[in-house]
């Protein structure tokens, strides 16, 4: 765009039809100091194999007041992803096709529920915010849930978890972080302690106060990982996001790694995103503590966190990635983190991580320790 005055603001309006450009993405990466030039914004959570239409906008001073000017409608088509655990059209159009999501056994069809263009088995209103959580049935004792929030008129995935009723804990929690879509607005710690509306309360720990003993209510997605909106942050205080974690680990080396991941996300450019999967490991001989209601809550013997820094092109296709796995013993004595390849963490946990990344990128990234946090 070329205007007579320096622009004050720039953004894109986009959607899947020319007459419905209802989503917005704002340029936040630097000043727009000159009367001409270009800008770009990286948009996450687009559907694969889908044509999108967009207009570029700027707010400028015309000599007597601010006005919005718009470019012509243009379009692009996102790439089809050929790897991943789901092959149906509905699976590819679900939150489970995100690059951060491990392989699942979920089966979806176009006759299933659709929320904000994404398929799932059912939905429930979030306790915090006006959006809904998407529920995916796995078995009689497990379900997958994607919690969502609203930002800049878009519904975005907050985090996705595989929740196990018998363990009263999520076996993995997956989410993404970056400096644009998941902008750090420093909303603070909002203490929204509550039952998860998407999980039956009978299978959640009652964490209106902490576990018994020296165990903290240990976040899997940390409060500081979710600083875009207050409602997004409050959802990290759902009881389903907690495990009984030794205070020495929770406030020590685990917290240090969380901070390192958050700093990595803050340093990303518009074309970069950090993908994270974190969870507990219940090894042989694990013990239990209790919650406020006296329910038995298994204590993890280890914790893991897999972190990937991915670069994407303008259509959202990954072009490169580097990652590393981190494992912590949870025996009350040693809490030093162990760096591993993601392949090694997969062997420990039995999960297949980052399956929606192209095989040419995933295979090399998971076999090397490419990040040092």
């Amino acid at each position: 765009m070329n205007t007579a005055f320096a622009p004050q603001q720039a953004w894109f309006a986009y959607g899947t039809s020319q007459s419905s450009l209802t989503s917005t993405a704002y340029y936040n990466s630097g000043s727009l100091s000159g009367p001409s030039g270009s800008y770009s914004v990286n948009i996450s959570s687009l559907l694969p194999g889908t044509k999108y239409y967009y207009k570029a906008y700027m707010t400028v001073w015309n000599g007597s007041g601010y006005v919005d000017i718009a470019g012509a409608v243009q379009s692009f088509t996102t790439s089809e992803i050929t790897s991943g655990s789901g092959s149906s059209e509905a699976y590819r159009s679900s939150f489970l096709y995100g690059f951060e999501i491990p392989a699942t056994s979920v089966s979806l069809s176009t006759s299933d529920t659709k929320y904000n263009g994404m398929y799932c088995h059912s939905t429930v209103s979030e306790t915090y915010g006006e959006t809904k959580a998407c529920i995916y049935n796995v078995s009689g004792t497990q379900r997958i849930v994607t919690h969502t929030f609203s930002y800049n008129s878009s519904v975005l995935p907050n985090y996705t978890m595989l929740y196990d009723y018998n363990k009263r804990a999520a076996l993995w929690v997956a989410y993404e972080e970056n400096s644009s879509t998941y902008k750090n607005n420093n909303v603070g710690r909002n203490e929204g302690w509550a039952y998860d509306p998407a999980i039956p309360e009978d299978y959640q720990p009652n964490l209106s106060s902490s576990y018994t003993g020296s165990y903290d209510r240990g976040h899997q997605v940390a409060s500081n990982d979710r600083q875009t909106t207050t409602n997004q942050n409050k959802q990290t205080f759902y009881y389903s996001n907690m495990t009984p974690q030794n205070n020495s680990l929770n406030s020590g080396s685990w917290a240090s790694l969380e901070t390192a991941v958050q700093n990595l996300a803050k340093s990303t450019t518009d074309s970069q995103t950090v993908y994270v999967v974190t969870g507990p490991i219940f090894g042989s001989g694990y013990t239990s503590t209790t919650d406020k209601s006296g329910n038995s809550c298994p204590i993890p013997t280890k914790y893991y966190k897999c972190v990937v820094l991915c670069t994407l092109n303008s259509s959202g296709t990954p072009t490169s990635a580097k990652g590393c796995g981190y494992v912590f013993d949870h025996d009350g004595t040693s809490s030093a983190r162990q760096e591993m390849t993601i392949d090694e963490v997969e062997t420990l946990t039995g999960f297949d991580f980052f399956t929606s990344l192209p095989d040419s990128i995933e295979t090399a990234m998971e076999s090397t320790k490419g990040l040092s946090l």
Side-chain angles (χ1 to χ4, degrees), residues 91 95-96 100-106 136 138 142-146 159-164 169-175 220-221 240-241 276-282 304 349-353:
Y91 195 97
F95 288 118
L96 300 184
E100 76 277 17
I101 307 298
T104 80
S105 59
V106 172
Y136 305 90
V138 179
Q142 292 183 340
R143 68 172 36 173
I144 293 174
V145 175
T146 297
Y159 58 89
T160 300
M161 63 167 62
L162 170 63
Y163 192 85
D164 187 279
L171 303 184
W172 55 253
V173 181
Y175 54 101
Q220 299 213 58
V221 183
S240 60
N241 187 39
V276 184
V277 185
T278 189
I281 298 173
F282 297 93
Y304 68 90
T349 62
F351 295 123
D352 185 4
F353 300 121

Side-chain angles (χ1 to χ4, degrees), residues 1 9-15 20-28 32 37-43 46 52-59 69-76 151-154 270 314:
M1 288 186 175
Q9 185 173 243
W11 73 97
F12 293 97
Y14 65 95
S20 182
L21 306 181
T22 56
S23 297
T24 53
Y26 284 82
Y27 177 75
N28 297 309
L32 294 161
S38 63
Y39 63 92
S40 63
V41 177
N42 185 57
I43 303 171
L46 299 180
Y52 283 87
Y53 298 88
Y54 68 94
K55 270 188 179 183
Y57 286 85
M58 281 185 174
T59 302
I69 58 173
V73 174
Q74 301 189 64
S75 66
F76 63 89
Y151 183 58
N152 280 343
S153 301
S154 295
D270 282 345
S314 58

Side-chain angles (χ1 to χ4, degrees), residues 259-286:
T259 299
V261 174
Q262 291 152 15
N263 288 337
L264 177 65
K266 291 175 185 177
S267 70
T268 55
T269 66
D270 282 345
S271 62
Q272 293 178 313
T273 291
V274 177
Y275 298 108
V276 184
V277 185
T278 189
I281 298 173
F282 297 93
S284 176
Y286 67 81

Side-chain angles (χ1 to χ4, degrees), residues 40-46 76-81 99 269-273 275 310-321 357-358 361:
S40 63
V41 177
N42 185 57
I43 303 171
S44 299
S45 304
L46 299 180
F76 63 89
T77 301
T78 55
S79 299
E80 289 280 3
I81 304 173
F99 296 128
T269 66
D270 282 345
S271 62
Q272 293 178 313
T273 291
Y275 298 108
C310 193
T311 300
L312 305 96
N313 63 22
S314 58
S315 65
T317 302
T319 57
S320 65
L357 287 175
I361 293 176

Side-chain angles (χ1 to χ4, degrees), residues 47-335:
L47 298 177
T50 302
K51 188 172 185 177
Y52 283 87
Y53 298 88
Y54 68 94
K55 270 188 179 183
Y57 286 85
M58 281 185 174
T59 302
V60 298
W61 181 262
N62 68 359
S64 58
Y66 286 108
V67 296
D68 293 338
I69 58 173
V73 174
Q74 301 189 64
S75 66
F76 63 89
T77 301
T78 55
S79 299
E80 289 280 3
I81 304 173
T82 57
S83 64
S85 60
S87 58
S88 70
E89 175 189 345
Y91 195 97
R92 294 197 307 270
S93 298
S94 76
F95 288 118
L96 300 184
Y97 217 53
F99 296 128
E100 76 277 17
I101 307 298
T104 80
S105 59
V106 172
S107 177
L108 287 169
S109 74
T110 53
S111 63
D112 283 316
T113 300
K114 203 172 187 181
Y115 172 61
N116 197 53
M118 308 297 267
Y119 287 99
C120 56
H121 290 137
S122 60
T123 63
V124 64
S125 295
E126 295 284 5
T127 302
Y128 303 111
E130 302 302 319
T131 61
K132 295 182 178 181
C134 286
I135 299 170
Y136 305 90
N137 301 322
V138 179
S139 69
T141 59
Q142 292 183 340
R143 68 172 36 173
I144 293 174
V145 175
T146 297
H147 288 293
T148 68
F149 72 105
S150 176
Y151 183 58
N152 280 343
S153 301
S154 295
V155 174
L156 298 172
N158 194 356
Y159 58 89
T160 300
M161 63 167 62
L162 170 63
Y163 192 85
D164 187 279
Y165 294 176
N166 294 327
K167 298 295 192 300
R168 294 184 187 274
L171 303 184
W172 55 253
V173 181
Y175 54 101
E176 62 178 288
E177 292 189 71
N178 53 47
S179 60
S180 52
T181 308
Y182 292 83
K183 188 173 177 60
N184 184 350
N185 291 322
N186 296 310
V187 298
R189 183 181 173 95
N190 289 277
E191 304 286 346
W193 299 103
Y195 284 106
D196 186 330
I199 305 291
E201 289 187 12
D202 287 349
Y203 298 109
Q204 296 182 62
N206 178 354
L207 295 178
S208 52
S209 61
S210 197
Y211 300 94
T212 57
S214 58
Y215 297 103
D216 292 346
R217 295 173 288 187
H219 283 67
Q220 299 213 58
V221 183
S223 169
N224 279 341
D225 285 319
R226 289 305 187 231
Q227 291 290 306
T228 309
T229 73
T230 298
N231 287 325
Q232 178 209 39
N233 179 263
K234 284 183 175 181
Q235 289 177 14
T236 69
F237 290 87
Y238 287 152
Y239 299 159
S240 60
N241 187 39
M242 306 297 153
T243 62
Q245 192 172 59
N246 278 320
N247 175 264
S248 58
L249 177 61
N250 188 35
S251 60
S253 52
W254 184 258
S256 296
L257 179 58
E258 287 177 333
T259 299
V261 174
Q262 291 152 15
N263 288 337
L264 177 65
K266 291 175 185 177
S267 70
T268 55
T269 66
D270 282 345
S271 62
Q272 293 178 313
T273 291
V274 177
Y275 298 108
V276 184
V277 185
T278 189
I281 298 173
F282 297 93
S284 176
Y286 67 81
T287 58
S288 298
T289 184
T290 55
D291 65 8
K292 185 177 181 180
S293 298
N295 297 310
S296 178
C297 300
I299 300 169
T301 54
K302 295 179 184 289
Y303 285 94
Y304 68 90
K305 193 180 295 289
C306 295
V307 185
V308 171
L309 175 63
C310 193
T311 300
L312 305 96
N313 63 22
S314 58
S315 65
T317 302
T319 57
S320 65
K322 53 185 178 180
C324 192
Y326 303 90
V327 174
F328 299 77
D329 288 329
H330 191 228
D331 56 10
T333 56
S334 173
S335 61

